[in-house]
């Protein structure tokens, strides 16, 4: 598990004291990887059991798993602030690393058996990348419908059932519009696959299946904050190719 990705996914759900401990760990990584769980508990003015609960809240199986991931994070290539190409490379690599640790099988099973597959893109970039993904599925023999725009989705969503699948491509997954959509789909028991950046959101927490991708901020950050969403294209391309493999080789 990638240490930074696990922090991004679970940080908002931590208590204030948990967040303070995480900040200490982030600032003292080299020291922490040499400490036992008891020693770390003492540094955090806490106990062994509290440290164990914290690493489990962060999604790690245990303290050894946590320390290994923390040590690996020290070896991440340093990217200079102006090295946009380097940031792009890391964005792609980290999305691939996440995909390699993800079990796609339940989602692939549902993707194959769903009566209708609806891909809902929540923005301009999402729509562009989702269009390529939609084409990939068609070429693999999986019919689907790509929808963008709130009103269009509402019209189509009225007839969806638990036999269908909705794939929602989003950035943050927390807008009021997404909350309304998810609430309606959940009420009708329609399976959802969320595709969002690495962070827990209303969409991901209420989805049947979750996929994540890495993002990076683009300059100038002081003017209009923007995030690169190349990772979305990568994770959708991976899903499309895994579905093709599933159809061609796993049946």
């Amino acid at each position: 598990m990638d240490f930074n990705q696990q922090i991004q996914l679970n940080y908002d759900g931590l208590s204030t004291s948990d967040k303070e401990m995480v900040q200490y760990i982030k600032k003292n990584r080299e020291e922490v990887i040499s400490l036992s769980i008891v020693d770390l508990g003492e540094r955090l003015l806490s106990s062994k059991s509290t440290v164990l609960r914290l690493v489990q809240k962060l999604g790690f199986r245990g303290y050894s798993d946590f320390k290994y991931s923390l040590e690996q994070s020290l070896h991440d290539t340093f990217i200079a602030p102006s090295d946009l190409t380097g940031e792009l490379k890391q964005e792609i690599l980290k999305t691939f690393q996440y995909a390699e640790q993800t079990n796609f099988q339940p989602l692939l099973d549902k993707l194959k058996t769903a009566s209708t597959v609806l891909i809902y893109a929540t923005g301009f970039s999402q729509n562009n990348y989702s269009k390529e993904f939609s084409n990939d599925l068609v070429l693999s023999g999986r019919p689907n419908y790509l929808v963008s725009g709130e009103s269009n989705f509402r019209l189509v969503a009225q007839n969806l059932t638990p036999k269908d699948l909705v794939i929602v491509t989003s950035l943050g997954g927390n807008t009021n519009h997404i909350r309304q959509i998810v609430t309606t789909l959940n009420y009708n028991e329609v399976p959802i696959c969320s595709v969002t950046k690495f962070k827990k959101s209303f969409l991901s927490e209420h989805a049947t299946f979750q996929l994540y991708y890495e993002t990076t901020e683009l300059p100038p950050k002081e003017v209009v904050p923007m995030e690169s969403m190349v990772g979305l294209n990568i994770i959708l391309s991976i899903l499309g190719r895994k579905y093709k493999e599933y159809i061609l080789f796993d049946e």
Side-chain angles (χ1 to χ4, degrees), residues 1-247:
M1 298 181 183
D2 183 277
F3 179 77
N4 294 315
Q5 290 175 348
Q6 289 301 114
I7 299 299
Q8 290 173 342
L9 282 176
N10 297 289
Y11 191 77
D12 286 347
L14 299 178
S15 66
T16 301
S17 60
D18 286 341
K19 290 179 179 178
E20 290 174 352
M21 288 190 284
V22 167
Q23 291 302 324
Y24 176 87
I25 292 169
K26 287 176 61 181
K27 293 175 183 176
N28 301 275
R29 299 187 191 207
E30 293 187 7
E31 175 190 7
V32 171
I33 60 175
S34 66
L35 299 177
S36 69
I37 189 171
V38 174
D39 291 336
L40 179 56
E42 292 177 355
R43 298 293 174 89
L44 297 174
L45 302 178
S46 188
S47 65
K48 171 183 175 180
S49 57
T50 299
V51 174
L52 181 59
R53 284 195 296 271
L54 173 63
V55 301
Q56 289 174 340
K57 287 180 184 178
L58 293 175
F60 298 101
R61 292 186 295 272
Y63 190 65
S64 297
D65 185 33
F66 160 78
K67 281 185 62 176
Y68 175 78
S69 180
L70 183 62
E71 184 174 5
Q72 290 300 112
S73 73
L74 292 176
H75 304 310
D76 287 348
T77 304
F78 174 75
I79 302 297
S82 59
D83 186 2
L84 298 183
T85 304
E87 288 185 351
L88 173 63
K89 180 179 179 180
Q90 288 298 304
E91 189 177 341
I92 294 171
L93 288 176
K94 285 182 176 293
T95 302
F96 264 103
Q97 289 170 0
Y98 157 76
E100 290 170 355
Q101 301 173 34
T102 299
N103 179 16
F104 285 84
Q105 196 61 47
L107 175 56
L108 295 174
D109 290 339
K110 182 59 182 178
L111 194 53
K112 179 179 182 297
T113 60
S115 296
T116 300
V117 173
L118 183 71
I119 304 170
Y120 178 54
T122 60
F124 180 78
S125 295
Q126 294 92 318
N127 186 70
N128 287 338
Y129 295 139
S130 296
K131 187 180 298 183
E132 293 184 26
F133 173 59
S134 174
N135 290 336
D136 286 344
L137 290 183
V138 170
L139 293 175
S140 297
R142 173 67 262 190
N144 63 87
Y145 300 94
L146 174 62
V147 180
S148 59
E150 299 178 24
S151 57
N152 292 333
F153 180 79
R154 288 196 185 97
L155 289 174
V156 178
Q158 294 176 3
N159 298 316
L160 295 176
T161 73
K163 294 182 180 181
D164 303 317
L165 173 66
V166 175
I167 300 174
V168 183
T169 59
S170 178
L171 180 61
N174 282 312
T175 65
N176 289 332
H177 170 56
I178 287 180
R179 289 173 180 267
Q180 293 171 2
I181 289 173
V182 171
T183 300
T184 300
L185 293 175
N186 284 169
Y187 178 76
N188 292 324
E189 299 182 323
V190 179
I192 303 172
C193 173
S194 63
V195 190
T196 62
K197 69 177 182 178
F198 275 103
K199 192 172 184 179
K200 289 287 180 65
S201 64
F202 184 86
L203 173 57
S204 65
E205 290 181 342
H206 291 80
T208 317
F209 311 97
Q210 299 84 19
L211 291 178
Y212 298 97
Y213 58 91
E214 191 75 18
T215 63
T216 54
E217 292 187 355
L218 297 173
K221 301 175 184 178
E222 300 79 8
V223 183
V224 179
M226 294 181 63
E227 291 182 76
S228 166
M229 295 177 63
V230 172
L232 172 59
N233 189 29
I234 298 299
I235 194 64
L236 289 177
S237 296
I238 291 173
L239 176 57
R241 294 195 177 208
K242 283 189 173 293
Y243 184 75
K244 183 180 290 289
E245 291 174 352
Y246 174 70
I247 295 300

